[in-house]
Amino acid sequence: MDDELDSGLDTGLDDGADPLVIGVRDRWEIQGLQGEPWPFLAICAVGRLNQLLNKALDTELKRLDLTRTGYFLLTTLALIPRGSARLSTLGRFLMMHPTTVKLTVDQLEAAGLVGRTRHPRDRRATLVEITPAGRDRVNEAGMALGAPGGALAPFEGTHREVFEALQPARLAAGDVETLKPGAS
């Protein structure tokens, strides 16, 4: 398919034009497609960026013996003032299935990065708590992800801009749940 898209098309690579944009934009009308190409291009751009970021993230996390899910869970715990949360709360924050959360906690607990404790007011609930070793690992990951020579170096200086550019779309899609003051 790439050969079909490239055949007979001046991609403009010499002048820095993005071949994805040029190829889709130029062929949209020629192929008789209706509507605008921009929704398709936006989805492709976000998808490709996601793949590139995940590849770089996985490269850095592998050196720290962390999975992406483990990193997100540990960092979430590190950001909570008490450093602990219910499994269900972690699943909701991370938009993960409860089984995934439990399996990830099992792995992190085996590595000594989290522990489990009883909830002080609800005997049925278990809290997951970050350990000092888990907090150290979060800090190692944070430093590795921001390192000038690391796998995320090509994105250096654009992290905030990417976040700010994507935030309005995320919020419009209902990505963030409303926080209730005083809620636990």
Side-chain angles (χ1 to χ4, degrees):
M1 182 166 169
D2 289 338
D3 291 338
E4 292 173 15
L5 287 175
D6 291 340
S7 64
L9 175 67
D10 177 13
T11 61
L13 285 176
D14 292 337
D15 62 5
D18 184 341
L20 173 69
V21 174
I22 299 298
V24 171
R25 191 188 63 210
D26 290 352
R27 292 172 188 267
W28 196 264
E29 283 185 36
I30 292 170
Q31 296 299 337
L33 298 177
Q34 296 180 357
E36 293 289 324
W38 300 113
F40 176 76
L41 284 167
I43 292 165
C44 287
V46 169
R48 290 168 72 110
L49 180 60
N50 182 53
Q51 289 174 339
L52 293 167
L53 285 168
N54 282 337
K55 182 179 177 184
L57 177 61
D58 290 343
T59 298
E60 290 297 335
L61 294 178
K62 185 176 182 179
R63 292 184 317 100
L64 297 169
D65 200 27
L66 277 177
T67 64
R68 205 177 314 147
T69 306
Y71 167 68
F72 291 138
L73 196 144
L74 272 180
T75 303
T76 299
L77 286 172
L79 290 168
I80 295 172
R82 305 179 303 282
S84 65
R86 295 176 189 230
L87 289 169
S88 60
T89 301
L90 290 169
R92 195 174 71 250
F93 283 172
L94 298 169
M95 297 184 346
M96 289 182 197
H97 191 276
T99 304
T100 303
V101 173
K102 185 192 175 308
L103 292 172
T104 303
V105 168
D106 290 346
Q107 293 168 348
L108 294 171
E109 187 174 36
L113 302 175
V114 300
R116 290 186 172 133
T117 60
R118 283 274 176 226
H119 191 286
R121 293 177 307 280
D122 183 354
R123 293 184 311 178
R124 298 167 297 164
T126 300
L127 295 176
V128 179
E129 187 170 36
I130 191 167
T131 65
R135 193 168 292 280
D136 289 345
R137 191 67 57 89
V138 168
N139 286 326
E140 288 177 63
M143 295 304 292
L145 295 175
L152 286 172
F155 304 101
E156 184 179 353
T158 63
H159 296 111
R160 182 176 180 165
E161 288 83 1
V162 169
F163 173 80
E164 288 175 348
L166 295 175
Q167 189 177 25
R170 277 187 27 257
L171 295 175
D175 182 29
V176 179
E177 74 179 58
T178 304
L179 297 176
K180 297 175 188 141
S184 58

